């Protein structure tokens, strides 16, 4: 079985992290976002994954070299010369997705995380019969306006309407960005920039050939810092509920915390709840971290505090410094000792020598 992951787009809402690598390769719980997805696809029998890309091909090739073997799945890039939107890439990769078997293929937005109940999606897709061209996974959210809203029959799952980013309220079940599609749908998609949400799904729905399945478990689009941290909390909760042995235990930890086995944690720290600490990090004594992600290679010196923030790769936070309130530090940022960062978004390779008292972008 085949799958395509939409990994284009510039990830502007996740800057400065996406200035170091494309959004799908930004770490989430110590793995590039799309590794969570590829692992789940492999578990349901997908043997070839197409990454639909439109920039930074070299970085993607590097990723493939590293992960194809590690994950044991064939991974190929399908590169667009100009951004093809969310449907055009399916036309471009048609020869791979439609392998003549008639089997459905998965399509995923690269920035969504959940428990990936893909086997259930497959069973649901099959149960809707021959005429069905697609199954969309849907989830309920409080503010549907920033998503694609799906109106469907609760009994059969048949979609009546698909409205991308509605201006007026039409419903609160939204497109979770995970689809199972029949090769038949490819006949509707031309080789040009096209939006699957605006140009394809509404028509298939009109013909009664689109279905939706409510996603069990948590879901989040982690394409912006605030949602990323909410996603972190949900993901760690779900690991805890599943009794995962991956979560950290000991006096230094409160609530759900993920610590890479190579990270070093000092004495008398209070870490958690809802924290992930990456490969090779060094955390000093008396450090306090809550609801935060600390990427690979970061040093947090003694008595520093990080809360509600994301600390990018190889950054350094000085003694007694406080990084708070949705601060996002890019790769290789140094924060000197005894400073206060309040909602600071700091570009890569910067050295911060004075406190930043109110939310702002440091170029
Ligand atoms: N290859 C390629 N080419 N990929 C693209 C392009 C492109 O031109 N444009 C966007 N993508 C990828 C993005 O990387 C992302 O994985 C996916 O397509 C969706 O784009 P986003 O920019 O993240 O869209 P969104 O979050 O505003 O809305 C989408 O996701 C919501 C769920 O999170 C829509 O699918 C909504 O309907 C949905 O509810
Ligand atoms: Mg998104």
């Amino acid at each position: 079985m085949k799958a395509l992951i939409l990994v284009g787009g510039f990830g502007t809402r996740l800057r400065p992290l996406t200035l170091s690598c494309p959004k799908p390769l930004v770490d989430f719980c110590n793995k590039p976002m799309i590794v969570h997805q590829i692992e789940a696809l492999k578990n349901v029998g997908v043997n070839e994954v197409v990454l639909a890309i439109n920039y930074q091909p070299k970085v993607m090739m590097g990723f493939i070299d590293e992960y194809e073997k590690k994950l044991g799945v064939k991974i190929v890039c399908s590169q667009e010369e100009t951004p093809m939107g969310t449907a055009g890439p399916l036309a471009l990769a048609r020869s791979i997705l439609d392998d003549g078997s008639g089997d459905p293929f998965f399509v995923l937005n690269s920035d969504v995380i959940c428990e990936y109940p893909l086997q259930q999606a497959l069973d649901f897709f099959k149960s809707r019969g021959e005429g069905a061209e697609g199954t969309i996974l849907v989830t309920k959210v409080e503010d549907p306006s920033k998503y694609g809203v799906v109106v469907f029959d609760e009994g059969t799952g048949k979609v009546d309407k698909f409205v991308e980013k509605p201006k007026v309220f039409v419903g609160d079940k939204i497109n979770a960005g995970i689809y199972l599609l029949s090769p038949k749908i490819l006949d509707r998609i031309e080789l040009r920039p096209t939006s699957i949400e605006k140009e394809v799904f509404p028509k298939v729905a009109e013909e009664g050939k689109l279905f939706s399945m409510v996603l069990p478990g948590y879901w989040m689009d982690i394409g912006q810092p605030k949602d990323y941290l909410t996603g972190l909390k949900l993901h760690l909760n779900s690991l805890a509920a599943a009794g995962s042995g991956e979560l950290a235990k000991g006096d230094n930890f409160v609530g759900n915390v993920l610590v890479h086995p190579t990270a070093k944690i000092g004495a008398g720290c209070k870490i958690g709840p809802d924290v992930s600490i990456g490969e090779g990090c060094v955390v000093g004594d008396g450090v306090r971290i809550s609801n935060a992600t600390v990427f690979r290679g970061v040093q947090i010196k003694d008595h520093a505090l990080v809360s509600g923030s994301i600390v990018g790769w190889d950054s350094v936070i000085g003694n007694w410094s406080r990084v708070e309130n949705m601060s996002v530090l890019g790769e290789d940022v140094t924060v000197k000792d005894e400073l206060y960062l309040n909602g600071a978004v700091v570009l890569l390779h910067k050295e911060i020598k004075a406190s930043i008292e109110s939310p702002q972008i440091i170029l």
Side-chain angles (χ1 to χ4, degrees):
M1 213 174 13
K2 307 290 195 298
L4 179 139
I5 307 180
L6 289 160
V7 297
F10 293 101
T12 47
R13 292 169 292 184
L14 214 51
R15 278 187 192 156
L17 303 171
T18 45
L19 297 175
S20 298
C21 69
K23 175 164 76 171
L25 301 191
V26 169
D27 294 327
F28 179 74
C29 291
N30 298 341
K31 284 181 208 169
M33 286 181 195
I34 51 168
V35 168
H36 295 267
Q37 301 185 325
I38 298 174
E39 285 175 345
L41 289 164
K42 188 194 169 185
N43 284 343
V44 291
V46 169
N47 54 9
E48 183 169 2
V49 177
V50 181
L51 302 181
I53 62 171
N54 62 25
Y55 79 129
Q56 295 190 325
K58 272 205 191 120
V59 190
M60 278 298 174
M61 293 315 290
F63 167 84
I64 292 176
D65 282 347
E66 183 181 346
Y67 279 94
E68 232 184 1
K69 270 214 194 82
K70 266 194 200 167
L71 301 173
V73 183
K74 184 171 179 195
I75 308 173
V76 297
C77 270
S78 167
Q79 201 192 335
E80 296 146 46
E81 308 224 314
T82 48
M84 294 289 269
T86 47
L90 274 59
L92 195 62
R94 182 170 187 155
S95 60
I96 302 176
L97 299 175
D98 185 3
D99 58 8
S101 65
D103 285 346
F105 54 87
F106 284 100
V107 175
L108 275 73
N109 288 352
S110 61
D111 56 359
V112 295
I113 52 145
C114 62
E115 285 161 5
Y116 303 110
L118 303 181
Q119 186 57 49
Q120 271 165 273
L122 264 171
D123 296 342
F124 180 89
F125 179 91
K126 286 183 190 143
S127 73
R128 296 306 101 169
E130 282 291 300
E133 289 190 21
T135 290
I136 312 177
L137 299 193
V138 297
T139 185
K140 193 171 160 178
V141 292
E142 270 172 27
D143 174 14
S145 65
K146 54 180 182 173
Y147 303 105
V149 173
V150 188
V151 181
F152 59 96
D153 182 296
E154 304 271 342
T156 61
K158 194 184 229 183
V159 177
D160 291 328
K161 247 198 292 186
F162 187 106
V163 193
E164 184 65 13
K165 316 243 159 61
K167 297 253 168 8
V168 292
F169 185 88
V170 277
D172 61 0
K173 300 274 191 353
I174 61 120
N175 168 21
I178 301 175
Y179 324 124
L180 200 50
L181 303 177
S182 153
K184 280 181 272 184
I185 208 168
L186 295 169
D187 292 339
R188 301 173 183 269
I189 303 172
E190 289 170 33
L191 190 58
R192 62 174 173 85
T194 319
S195 158
I196 201 162
E197 297 88 349
K198 292 183 187 153
E199 297 170 71
V200 182
F201 288 155
K203 281 195 197 134
V204 189
E206 233 169 67
E207 292 176 25
K209 293 176 179 166
L210 191 63
F211 290 84
S212 63
M213 180 188 112
V214 178
L215 186 78
Y218 79 97
W219 176 88
M220 202 69 207
D221 176 328
I222 53 173
Q224 39 191 316
K226 189 168 167 282
D227 295 342
Y228 179 103
L229 289 180
T230 306
L232 170 68
K233 181 188 167 95
L234 295 172
H235 182 75
L236 294 179
N237 278 346
S238 140
L239 288 181
S244 164
E246 276 182 86
L247 296 173
K249 288 185 198 74
D251 291 344
N252 280 321
F253 306 109
V254 212
N256 300 326
V257 178
L258 201 61
V259 179
H260 193 277
T262 57
K264 292 195 176 68
I265 310 288
C269 293
K270 192 175 170 199
I271 299 176
D274 307 321
V275 170
S276 80
I277 296 182
E279 188 179 345
C281 288
V282 179
V283 174
D285 296 338
V287 166
R288 175 83 181 91
I289 311 176
S290 62
N291 191 214
T293 283
V294 177
F295 285 3
R296 187 185 342 112
V298 167
Q299 291 177 53
I300 302 184
K301 304 258 170 98
D302 298 348
H303 306 288
L305 176 148
V306 178
S307 162
S309 296
I310 304 177
V311 182
W313 308 270
D314 299 321
S315 291
V316 180
I317 297 180
N319 295 300
W320 295 100
S321 280
R322 298 169 70 95
V323 175
E324 295 185 1
N325 189 26
M326 290 309 313
S327 289
V328 183
L329 309 190
E331 180 180 1
D332 179 36
V333 166
T334 302
V335 178
K336 294 290 188 190
D337 294 348
E338 294 173 40
L339 298 181
Y340 172 49
L341 269 59
N342 173 17
V345 174
V346 184
L347 258 67
L348 47 180
H349 310 308
K350 290 276 156 198
E351 191 174 70
I352 303 293
K353 295 180 183 154
S355 289
I356 299 161
E357 312 257 342
S358 59
Q360 57 187 284
I361 300 173
I362 307 297
L363 297 170

